[in-house]
Amino acid sequence: MWPSVPLVVPQATLGTAMGLAKSVQMVSIGISNLVVGQILGTKSSDVKIPLWTWQYMMIFMLANTISCIIASTVLNIVDYRQGSILNKTTKRSQRTADE
């Protein structure tokens, strides 16, 4: 995600875009931690957590992984249809800038 931000954002707003992307990432990680905490459902480290709660947590992580794969695939398809801005090689980017 990070190398893509400068490709799609004007230079004048690059810092703001990077900060916003970092904020969204940190909020998502925080929400994910809260969800895992709710699934495991214990406030004490001395309590044994039943196996089925770990299974639910792993299902949640698998769902996260699958949704990330789907989002990445959709992003690549949309990028391809709009001129492959995110997937340009360095040589193609330099050639486009020179023209």
Side-chain angles (χ1 to χ4, degrees):
M1 178 175 88
W2 296 110
S4 301
V5 174
L7 297 175
V8 295
V9 176
Q11 186 77 21
T13 59
L14 184 58
T16 303
M18 293 292 255
L20 185 62
K22 184 71 167 180
S23 297
V24 168
Q25 182 183 20
M26 290 296 117
V27 167
S28 300
I29 290 171
I31 290 172
S32 180
N33 287 338
L34 290 173
V35 170
V36 168
Q38 278 298 118
I39 291 171
L40 294 178
T42 182
K43 293 181 175 53
S44 172
S45 61
D46 298 333
V47 178
K48 259 193 139 170
I49 300 172
L51 183 61
W52 60 270
T53 56
W54 287 104
Q55 289 173 339
Y56 285 150
M57 194 229 17
M58 292 306 288
I59 290 169
F60 171 72
M61 293 296 176
L62 178 64
N64 271 343
T65 302
I66 291 170
S67 64
C68 288
I69 290 169
I70 291 170
S72 298
T73 303
V74 169
L75 179 64
N76 275 304
I77 291 169
V78 169
D79 179 53
Y80 178 76
R81 289 182 180 167
Q82 294 182 354
S84 295
I85 295 170
L86 300 178
N87 290 319
K88 282 186 180 176
T89 61
T90 306
K91 287 183 180 180
R92 277 182 42 198
S93 295
Q94 287 174 350
R95 196 172 351 150
T96 306
D98 290 341
E99 293 172 355

